[in-house]
């Protein structure tokens, strides 16, 4: 479902908003029952995807079979510190378990150390292996923008695009900050629109901020307040029609 060129409350629908959301079920203390309830919520609202921990991919894939909700997971989460070979193995295992979207954390410390070739090679290696196994798999690269300078964010955008990944993503939601409008504008300005997409994640808890993120260049939104966001839009749309 494509979005308007300039998304606003007036030209968006609840269905459009739902299809921008990757519903996050990543808290370490989440029980199996809570994960299943989250999958049911995704099916009810018809979100773009559910993003679960790697251990829950099979569970989510079974729960959402027959729906149009994709199953995603995280790789090298939350700090990006596992070796490249381990990230690639984790990605291939996730695909085997039923994931079709993979959000990988780049090696933040090595990016800040200027080891750019290493970062590009890691993203390229994982992306190539994952797409060889499943050509339609979507690869998103998490930067953790709150820990980076603007110059480092621009470099990360360029490396991600050169490596062939599909998305650049602001944050894990588990560090010192989340998605900001300046970061989204910077990421959009330093990637090729239509080739590399932008995901806002971390702190997107309201409909108004979700729309701000879309206007700043985000194509996808990571959120856990999915039901509140969509219910708010439905209520406001209904009120506007009275």
């Amino acid at each position: 479902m494509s979005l308007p060129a300039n998304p606003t409350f007036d030209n968006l629908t609840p269905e459009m908003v739902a299809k921008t959301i990757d519903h996050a079920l990543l808290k370490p203390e989440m029980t199996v029952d809570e994960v299943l309830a989250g999958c049911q919520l995704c099916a009810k609202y018809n979100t773009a995807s559910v993003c679960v921990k790697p251990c829950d991919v099979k569970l989510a894939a079974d729960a959402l079979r027959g729906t149009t909700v994709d199953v995603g997971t995280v790789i090298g989460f939350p700090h990006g510190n596992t070796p490249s070979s381990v990230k690639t193995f984790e990605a291939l295992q996730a695909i085997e378990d039923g994931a079709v979207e993979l959000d990988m954390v780049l090696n933040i410390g090595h990016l800040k150390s200027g080891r750019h070739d290493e970062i590009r090679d890691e993203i390229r290696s994982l992306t190539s292996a994952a797409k060889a196994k499943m050509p339609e798999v979507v690869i998103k690269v998490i930067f953790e923008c709150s820990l980076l300078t603007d110059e480092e964010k621009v470099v990360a955008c360029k490396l991600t695009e050169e490596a062939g990944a599909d998305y650049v993503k602001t944050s894990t939601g588990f560090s010192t900050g989340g998605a900001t409008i300046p970061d989204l504008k910077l990421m959009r300005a330093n990637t090729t629109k239509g080739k590399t997409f932008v995901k806002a994640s971390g702190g997107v808890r309201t409909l108004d901020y979700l729309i701000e993120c879309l206007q700043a260049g985000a194509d996808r939104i990571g959120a856990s307040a999915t039901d509140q966001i969509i219910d708010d839009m439905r209520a406001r749309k209904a009120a506007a029609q009275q």
Side-chain angles (χ1 to χ4, degrees):
M1 187 179 296
S2 60
L3 293 174
N6 180 33
T8 66
F9 176 80
D10 291 335
N11 63 20
L12 289 169
T13 66
E15 293 76 20
M16 288 178 183
V17 168
K19 278 301 182 190
T20 69
I21 295 176
D22 294 341
H23 183 65
L25 300 173
L26 297 171
K27 291 181 180 178
E29 72 274 19
M30 271 195 158
T31 66
V32 167
D33 286 344
E34 287 171 327
V35 173
L36 289 172
C39 290
Q40 290 173 355
L41 183 150
C42 289
K44 174 183 176 182
Y45 288 94
N46 197 22
T47 59
S49 79
V50 64
C51 189
V52 298
K53 293 172 288 187
C55 61
D56 292 326
V57 170
K58 284 185 179 179
L59 184 73
D62 287 342
L64 289 166
R65 189 166 286 111
T67 74
T68 62
V69 179
D70 288 335
V71 175
T73 192
V74 287
I75 305 297
F77 197 82
H79 302 306
N81 294 332
T82 47
S84 296
S85 59
V86 176
K87 289 181 181 176
T88 297
F89 178 85
E90 191 175 16
L92 296 177
Q93 182 64 56
I95 293 171
E96 189 73 26
D97 291 344
V100 297
E101 301 200 355
L102 306 175
D103 294 26
M104 67 162 287
V105 188
L106 58 70
N107 191 312
I108 301 160
H110 286 189
L111 175 67
K112 295 183 75 67
S113 300
R115 299 173 73 165
H116 298 163
D117 289 345
E118 179 184 302
I119 297 296
R120 184 194 301 106
D121 289 347
E122 175 176 276
I123 299 168
R124 180 178 288 141
S125 176
L126 184 148
T127 299
S128 297
K131 289 185 180 289
K133 187 175 183 69
M134 176 185 285
E136 66 271 25
V137 71
V138 174
I139 308 296
K140 307 177 195 136
V141 179
I142 306 173
F143 293 178
E144 206 67 276
C145 285
S146 64
L147 304 181
L148 304 178
T149 66
D150 282 354
E151 291 77 13
E152 289 163 346
K153 295 166 198 172
V154 170
V155 168
C157 284
K158 301 302 183 185
L159 296 175
T160 298
E161 186 159 289
E162 289 169 12
D166 302 293
Y167 275 80
V168 293
K169 177 178 170 181
T170 57
S171 328
T172 61
F174 288 83
S175 187
T176 56
T180 71
I181 300 306
D183 281 344
L184 291 168
K185 289 180 176 178
L186 183 71
M187 293 162 82
R188 180 69 285 161
N190 287 280
T191 50
T192 304
K193 191 172 179 63
K195 176 183 179 183
T196 304
F197 301 91
V198 178
K199 178 174 173 179
S201 185
V204 185
R205 300 185 181 92
T206 68
L207 173 63
D208 290 330
Y209 195 54
L210 181 148
I211 294 173
E212 279 190 66
C213 289
L214 295 178
Q215 292 170 341
D219 301 283
R220 194 76 72 85
I221 307 292
S224 56
T226 301
D227 49 347
Q228 296 98 306
I229 290 169
I230 299 172
D231 287 346
D232 181 33
M233 186 168 203
R234 288 174 175 171
R236 286 162 64 177
K237 286 284 188 182
Q241 292 172 357
Q242 291 178 354

